[in-house]
Structure formats: structure tokens, C-alpha cells
Amino acid sequence: MFPCVLNGPVRCWMKHCTSRRAFTAVRPRIVLGIETSCDETGAAVLDETGIILGESLHSQKQTHLDTGGIIPTVAQRLHGENISRVVQEALGRSGIEPNELTAVATTVKPGLSLSLGIGLEFSLNFVRLHEKPFIPIHHMEAHALTVRMLHPVDFPFLVLLVSGGHTLLALAKGIDEFLLLGQTLDVAAGDALDKIARSLSLRNHPECSTLSGGQAIELLAKEGNRLAFHFKSPMGQIYDCNFSFAGLRNQVTMAIRKKEREEGVETGQLLSCVKDIAAASQHTVASHIAKRTHRAILFCKSKGLLPQHNPTLVVSGGVASNEYIRQILKIVTDATGLHLLCPPSKLCTDNGVMIAWNGIERLKQGKGIMSHTEEVKYEPKAPLGLDITSEVKDAAIKVPPLKLRINS
Ligand code: KG4
Ligand code: ZN
């Protein structure tokens, strides 16, 4: 036995480690995960216990902030320029050679075609060169399951995914079995926050120039008075679990233009009330999400879809890193007896780790592992699970009023 000087008598996969040889007989399965569905080029090497052996992430955020939104051809070019380096970095940091990998897992759906194409092409070349199995990954399933890398959450659990591209509620019944309870009918919550931030010209705010729209709104809202503006809560009289944020975005834009006229402010300059508008917008988004989530919980309970013991709501996606939204959701889960779990912010936004973890989950259950890759295609549009949104709507559950207030 050669105990590892760093990690003791447990497995150690550092390249230099003398303990390595002694443990090769019981070596855990290792997956390389690759993510390029939108504007992050991510790669990670993970072992089957969820230990991150190496990772790397290149964010295109700054470029897209500069151009006022994601231009797919620009995203494609940047993925192409960075993917090889990002994968090499993740592998290099892990000390794992390609031939030691059990499989490669890559996002193939849903996402921007041009971005997905780069990740898939790179991955297929890689698995063919190194003769490794390939595991195609659904980006939203990966967001939903990331939490299981950190906490022992059993199926079924309720999951709320809120990002720049998606807002949805689903019941996770298994690693590839989801019931879709509700989704956005127009834009995603993160997209609405990004556009509101742009209308407020927050890029020109000294504290916000490098932040995403959602992050900028959260930061400024901390010092804003949300009651200074009143925005109508979306879909108040519709008793389903779908979302809508386009109307709110228009309301806020109109309020901004009105204030600009009143204050004689040119487009691009900052209004005196940016913090109040940020706070009111964030609150309206949070309470809309909270009400639909509350209804989803009541629906699942009424149908016996959640376990009696430790029923759990998992919240993930970029917007889930918003502390205010998490606190509002905590009011809902406290009132309904659910346990609220959110992965750390770093794992809520797009990354290679969540893709690698989904690959591990699939390897463990022997699901979706491909040794022939000729047929693999990317799919820009791919629903999550079985759509039961109309059943939820038909149940027309009225949500009892809750005081969605946070004492700060
Ligand atoms: O999951 P993600 O990294 O990418 C996808 O859209 O798939 O999410 C990015 C979105 C952006 O719209 C960004 O503004 C939002 O998440 N976001 C936030 C926060 N951090 C990122 N929204 C609200 N509060 C935050 N702290
Ligand atoms: Zn995402």
C-alpha cells in the first residue's frame, strides 16, 4: 500500500501521487463533461463520487454585454476559439490522461444550434480519437440533477429551473424521467432581467459594468425601495404553473422611458431611481416565481406525487443564484413543509461540472451510453420530460395568500 501524502489512505488521482498504482484495481469511473449550449465554454473531469478532479470555464459574458445580447455567430466563434484550451485545462488540472476516462458527456440539447455544434463536433472527434463511449446530455436535466452531486436527494423531487433561456417547474422522478408542470410562455426570467438591466443602462453604472443583468439588478435592488414602483404581477387570474415575463419587461421599460422624460435623462445615462426600479422588478419576478412554485407544490401534494418524508424543492439555473429570490422561495417552502435546496452559485450557472455529473448518473444506471456516434445530432429545441401543464391548469388550484416579504 502506498498511502497518499495529500489525501491519506483514500483514493488519490493526482498524477504525481505514489499511491496511485496501489489503487488502480478499485479506480472509480471518471467522466469528462463538456458544455457549450449557450455562452459558456465549460469542461470538467469528475469521479463517480462527485469529486471535481479538474475544471475550466471560459465565459463569453463580457463580449455579449458589450454587444447588448448574444449574437449566435459570435458565440460560435468564441466556443471554437476556446474549447480545445478549456478541455485541455480541465484534463491537465485533473492529472487524468484521456485514456483513463470512462466516458465523455456533452450537452447536445437544448441550446443555440451554432454553440451546440461546436461542443458536439469537438467531443465526437475526441471520443473517436481516444476510443471512448459518448454520453449525450440534456442541458436542463443536468441543471436539475446537479444538486445530487452535493446532497443525497432521492427521487421524486420538485425542481424549479430559472435561467437566461428557461423558466420551468418539473417533477424529477428519475434521472431521465420528468413531468413538466409549467414553463414560460414567452421569455425566461433571466432574459427579462437582462433586458430590464439594459433598458436601465446598468452597464454604465460603476458597480455593474462586468455583471450580468440579473446580477446587476440584485446588487442595486439591495439599496432600492421596491414600493416606489408598482408593477402588475403576471398571470394573476390564470391558475396554472406557467410563467410570463414579457409583460413585466414592457411595463418596466415604459416606466423607465417615462422617468427619463421627467428627469430629462438621455438614453444611456442613469436615472436617479435605478435602485428602486431594480428592487421593484426583482420583487415582481420573485413573487411571480414564488406563486407558480407554490401552486406546483400544492398540485404535487394533491396528486401524491411528492414523498411524505423530506419532500424537496430544488432550485437551479443562473437566476437561482439570486439571494432575494431564494429567500422568497424559502417563505413558500416553509409554509408548505418542503425542504429547499439550491446548488452553490458557481454550479447554478452553466458549467462543465453539471454535464460531467449527469454523465456519471447515466453511467451508474447504464442509460444513454453510446459506443457508436454516427447518428448523434444536436437538438436546439428539446422539451424536458412529459408535458402535463394542461392537467395542472385543469386542476385550477387557488394558492392561499402568503406574505412574500423579506426583512432586510
Ligand atoms: O443558467 P445560466 O448561466 O445560462 C442559461 O441561460 O442557460 O443563466 C444566465 C442567466 C442570465 O440571464 C443572468 O442575468 C441570470 O442568469 N443571473 C441572475 C443572477 N446571476 C445570473 N439573475 C438574477 N440574479 C442573479 N444573481
Ligand atoms: Zn443553463
Side-chain angles (χ1 to χ4, degrees):
M1 188 61 92
F2 303 87
C4 167
V5 284
L6 291 176
N7 297 334
V10 293
R11 93 189 78 75
C12 175
W13 294 104
M14 305 297 285
K15 203 170 186 177
H16 61 271
C17 184
T18 49
S19 72
R20 212 166 170 200
R21 268 174 298 150
F23 288 93
T24 40
V26 287
R27 82 193 224 181
R29 287 168 286 191
I30 295 171
V31 168
L32 165 66
I34 298 179
E35 157 65 29
T36 65
S37 68
C38 187
D39 58 348
E40 318 276 352
T41 317
V45 181
L46 215 68
D47 82 6
E48 65 184 302
T49 66
I51 293 174
I52 303 168
L53 303 173
E55 63 179 309
S56 177
L57 188 70
H58 174 265
S59 174
Q60 306 177 356
K61 192 172 77 184
Q62 196 57 49
T63 309
H64 300 313
L65 277 172
D66 292 345
T67 53
I70 299 176
I71 301 169
T73 47
V74 175
Q76 178 191 39
R77 176 174 56 76
L78 292 173
H79 282 305
E81 286 171 10
N82 289 288
I83 187 150
S84 178
R85 175 184 59 80
V86 164
V87 171
Q88 290 315 320
E89 255 171 31
L91 280 167
R93 287 170 185 162
S94 72
I96 295 291
E97 298 295 336
N99 64 13
E100 295 174 282
L101 293 168
T102 314
V104 176
T106 300
T107 307
V108 300
K109 61 185 172 185
L112 298 172
S113 314
L114 295 178
S115 297
L116 289 168
I118 297 288
L120 182 57
E121 189 189 352
F122 180 91
S123 303
L124 294 183
N125 287 336
F126 188 97
V127 295
R128 285 169 192 157
L129 179 67
H130 299 289
E131 298 180 335
K132 294 290 164 188
F134 181 63
I135 311 178
I137 302 292
H138 190 300
H139 182 83
M140 305 312 288
E141 290 183 4
H143 269 307
L145 300 189
T146 312
V147 71
R148 284 164 47 88
M149 193 180 106
L150 308 161
H151 303 275
V153 190
D154 287 333
F155 296 111
F157 58 87
L158 186 62
V159 59
L160 166 69
L161 298 179
V162 253
S163 69
H166 300 270
T167 307
L168 60 83
L169 277 158
L171 185 78
K173 297 177 75 184
I175 64 161
D176 58 353
E177 204 187 338
F178 292 82
L179 294 180
L180 184 66
L181 306 170
Q183 62 186 329
T184 185
L185 301 177
D186 40 59
V187 296
D191 189 25
L193 290 172
D194 290 341
K195 295 218 164 84
I196 291 170
R198 222 174 296 145
S199 299
L200 284 168
S201 304
L202 296 189
R203 258 186 54 62
N204 299 333
H205 190 286
E207 289 171 68
C208 301
S209 60
T210 60
L211 301 182
S212 69
Q215 286 170 322
I217 300 257
E218 177 172 26
L219 180 75
L220 295 182
K222 287 190 176 127
E223 292 178 4
N225 172 15
R226 71 171 176 82
L227 300 173
F229 287 83
H230 177 74
F231 300 123
K232 205 166 149 280
S233 188
M235 304 174 80
Q237 300 304 312
I238 303 170
Y239 303 113
D240 64 11
C241 290
N242 289 326
F243 301 87
S244 167
F245 297 97
L248 171 67
R249 189 190 60 195
N250 293 341
Q251 281 184 71
V252 179
T253 309
M254 276 158 59
I256 293 168
R257 298 293 164 250
K258 183 162 173 270
K259 276 281 162 198
E260 282 175 350
R261 284 195 298 276
E262 281 170 22
E263 292 189 8
V265 163
E266 302 273 320
T267 304
Q269 290 179 319
L270 293 165
L271 284 169
S272 62
C273 55
V274 273
K275 292 180 175 171
D276 297 341
I277 295 181
S281 311
Q282 176 178 258
H283 179 76
T284 313
V285 167
S287 56
H288 179 45
I289 291 172
K291 284 176 196 155
R292 312 319 264 190
T293 306
H294 194 171
R295 178 168 294 115
I297 293 172
L298 298 182
F299 174 83
C300 288
K301 284 189 166 189
S302 73
K303 302 281 177 192
L305 293 171
L306 285 171
Q308 296 285 327
H309 177 67
N310 213 9
T312 301
L313 169 68
V314 170
V315 187
S316 196
V319 182
S321 38
N322 184 294
E323 212 37 62
Y324 185 87
I325 294 175
R326 287 185 188 205
Q327 286 180 33
I328 292 272
L329 285 167
K330 183 83 172 60
I331 296 173
V332 175
T333 51
D334 284 350
T336 48
L338 263 73
H339 184 50
L340 176 66
L341 279 178
C342 307
S345 294
K346 171 177 168 289
L347 294 177
C348 278
T349 45
D350 292 352
N351 61 82
V353 174
M354 69 182 202
I355 306 305
W357 175 251
N358 201 217
I360 296 277
E361 294 253 38
R362 286 183 165 275
L363 260 187
K364 284 182 180 168
Q365 295 198 10
K367 285 183 168 166
I369 304 149
M370 310 183 77
S371 37
H372 301 286
T373 51
E374 294 75 24
E375 304 283 297
V376 185
K377 301 251 179 320
Y378 61 80
E379 293 171 51
K381 292 208 184 316
L384 178 70
L386 180 67
D387 186 343
I388 62 158
T389 53
S390 53
E391 195 183 318
V392 176
K393 186 172 187 173
D394 291 345
I397 293 173
K398 295 220 168 65
V399 169
L402 267 187
K403 282 201 176 119
L404 300 174
R405 272 185 218 140
I406 292 167
N407 306 317
S408 49

